[in-house]
Structure formats: structure tokens, C-alpha cells
């Protein structure tokens, strides 16, 4: 609650690298070219000292390290240590609902959200003969499309294949909502429903965000 947030906020003063806080989720991150090899380990020691002072517990077994790079040969960085335990290296990490992969591909994240959306779409399929078009569309807009667009300004640099996979989910939804027969052109269904391709919506989401950034309508970070 609020008392916990007040208690943990000064942890940012103890580290040299970047730190991100969200509730009880704490993340250290750095660009290797900007820090020495041992900076992160020194910060981990500082955080442990801080935690003992303020009686906050960090769990090394639940702490992971990830190196994100586009290089074919991943640099051999020294291991990160916390309470004398070497932290496990992972190839992917789910952070605030977004799966970040070490090779900077969004395929794993998109596969995960497509899987979740498909389950909900199956439920919508079972309701298509029992609900009217307006109700079916409201269900898609409320419970399925948000899965396909969560944090999309971050991962819109995905591959065309991943983008097409996402669009297939919306196309299935369009057929269910419109009642169109198989083989109906997608453009016709979208026009009738007043829908846009997800890729076009993502483009607008990014433009809105950049507008807010340019006009100081977002947090400084």
C-alpha cells in the first residue's frame, strides 16, 4: 500500500545504474558501454545493505538476469551475484505483462497474447448465434482487443509475420461479429463494421504518445 511505496522510494538513491520500481517489482538495468563490468554487482550489494536497514527482503532465487542484444555473439559479462548466490541467466523475462527476449524479438510475447486472445475468441464463437452484433462487438472491444494492444507502442517493431498473426485474430472476430460467410473479403467486413487493421491502430497509438511526449503531457521518463 502507500506506506510500502513511501518506504521503498529512497532505494533509488542507493544505486549508480538505472532502476525501475513498480509496487514490489524492482528492476536494475544498464547499457554495458556506459558502466564498468562491476557496477551492477556493486548496486546489488548496495540494495542488500539498504534492505537490511529498512527490513525489506529481496529473494535471490526469484531474481533473474537478462542480457538483451542484437549481436550474434553475446558478450561474456561477469556473473551477477546477490547474497553470495549467482543469479540465473534467462533468455526471456516477463516484465509488467510484456515478455522481453534476449534477442530483442517480440515473437514470444505476441505468441503469448495470441494464445490468450484465441481462448477468449473461442468463447465468443460459442455466443455468435445467441447474441446480437452490438453485444458481440462490445465483448470483442472489451475483452479481446485489449489483449492484442496492451503496450503495443513498445512492441510495434515486431516482424511482419507476428503482425499478420495478430491480425488473423481480429479477422476471426470480424467474421463472428458481422456474421459474414467464409471467403468474404476482409476489407468489406472492416468497412461494414467500421474497424481498422490493428497495425493502423498501433501507428496512431504511437503518434498520440509522441504528441504527448512533445507537449510535456507524459512523465519525464
Amino acid at each position: 500500500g502507500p506506506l510500502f511505496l513511501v518506504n521503498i522510494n529512497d532505494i533509488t538513491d542507493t544505486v549508480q545504474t538505472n532502476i525501475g520500481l513498480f509496487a514490489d517489482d524492482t528492476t536494475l538495468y544498464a547499457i554495458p558501454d556506459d558502466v564498468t563490468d562491476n557496477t551492477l554487482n556493486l548496486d546489488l550489494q548496495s540494495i542488500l545493505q539498504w534492505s537490511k536497514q529498512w527490513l525489506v527482503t529481496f529473494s535471490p532465487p526469484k531474481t533473474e538476469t537478462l542480457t538483451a542484444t542484437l549481436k550474434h555473439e553475446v558478450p561474456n559479462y561477469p556473473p551477477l551475484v546477490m547474497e553470495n548466490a549467482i543469479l540465473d541467466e534467462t533468455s526471456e523475462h516477463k516484465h509488467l505483462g510484456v515478455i522481453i527476449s534476449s534477442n530483442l524479438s517480440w515473437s514470444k510475447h505476441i505468441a503469448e497474447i495470441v494464445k490468450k486472445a484465441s481462448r477468449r475468441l473461442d468463447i465468443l464463437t460459442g455466443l455468435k448465434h445467441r447474441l446480437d452484433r452490438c453485444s458481440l462487438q462490445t465483448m470483442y472491444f472489451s475483452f479481446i482487443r485489449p489483449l492484442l494492444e496492451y503496450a503495443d507502442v513498445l512492441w510495434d517493431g515486431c516482424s511482419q509475420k507476428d503482425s499478420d498473426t495478430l491480425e488473423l485474430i481480429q479477422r476471426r472476430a470480424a467474421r463472428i461479429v458481422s456474421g459474414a460467410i467464409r471467403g468474404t473479403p476482409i476489407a468489406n467486413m472492416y468497412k461494414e463494421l467500421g474497424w481498422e487493421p490493428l497495425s493502423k491502430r498501433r501507428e496512431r497509438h504511437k503518434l498520440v504518445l509522441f504528441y504527448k511526449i512533445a507537449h510535456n503531457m507524459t512523465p519525464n521518463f
Side-chain angles (χ1 to χ4, degrees):
L3 290 179
F4 174 79
L5 296 179
V6 169
N7 191 39
I8 199 173
N9 272 347
D10 72 331
I11 193 175
T12 59
D13 299 331
T14 68
V15 298
Q16 302 177 58
T17 50
N18 301 295
I19 187 169
L21 302 174
F22 186 83
D24 63 346
D25 189 301
T26 304
T27 303
L28 291 178
Y29 56 99
I31 300 174
D33 293 342
D34 296 341
V35 298
T36 63
D37 286 344
N38 208 36
T39 304
L40 281 171
N41 273 319
L42 291 174
D43 281 350
L44 288 172
Q45 292 177 21
S46 298
I47 284 178
L48 282 176
Q49 292 173 0
W50 174 93
S51 69
K52 293 174 182 177
Q53 178 183 356
W54 295 107
L55 303 180
V56 175
T57 302
F58 287 96
S59 176
K62 294 182 179 179
T63 304
E64 298 177 325
T65 175
L66 178 145
T67 301
T69 180
L70 288 174
K71 296 178 179 178
H72 294 296
E73 293 186 10
V74 180
N76 186 24
Y77 298 117
L80 297 180
V81 180
M82 193 174 194
E83 284 191 335
N84 298 318
I86 296 178
L87 301 182
D88 290 333
E89 175 79 23
T90 183
S91 60
E92 58 193 41
H93 173 68
K94 192 170 188 177
H95 184 66
L96 304 183
V98 177
I99 298 177
I100 301 173
S101 299
S102 58
N103 63 359
L104 298 177
S105 165
W106 296 111
S107 295
K108 180 68 177 180
H109 175 70
I110 290 173
E112 185 71 15
I113 60 178
V114 164
K115 183 179 178 181
K116 291 180 180 178
S118 295
R119 292 197 197 105
R120 298 188 185 183
L121 200 58
D122 288 341
I123 296 174
L124 197 66
T125 300
L127 297 172
K128 66 180 180 179
H129 297 305
R130 301 167 59 184
L131 297 177
D132 58 66
R133 175 184 291 195
C134 182
S135 298
L136 291 169
Q137 178 171 269
T138 297
M139 292 184 69
Y140 171 66
F141 286 171
S142 301
F143 301 113
I144 299 175
R145 193 170 67 182
L147 291 177
L148 304 176
E149 297 188 328
Y150 174 72
D152 60 0
V153 295
L154 177 64
W155 50 259
D156 189 39
C158 64
S159 68
Q160 186 61 49
K161 179 180 179 181
D162 287 335
S163 179
D164 291 343
T165 301
L166 288 169
E167 200 62 43
L168 285 175
I169 295 293
Q170 177 160 272
R171 290 179 180 182
R172 282 182 58 197
R175 293 190 188 283
I176 294 169
V177 173
S178 67
I181 62 173
R182 187 176 296 276
T184 303
I186 300 302
N188 291 359
M189 287 193 299
Y190 279 8
K191 183 177 180 180
E192 180 183 339
L193 292 169
W195 292 9
E196 294 177 312
L198 294 174
S199 58
K200 187 174 181 179
R201 286 176 54 82
R202 292 196 298 271
E203 185 68 23
R204 186 166 62 253
H205 294 164
K206 289 190 296 183
L207 289 173
V208 169
L209 177 61
F210 283 126
Y211 176 88
K212 290 181 178 180
I213 291 172
H215 290 82
N216 299 315
M217 299 166 65
T218 56
N220 289 334
F221 60 79

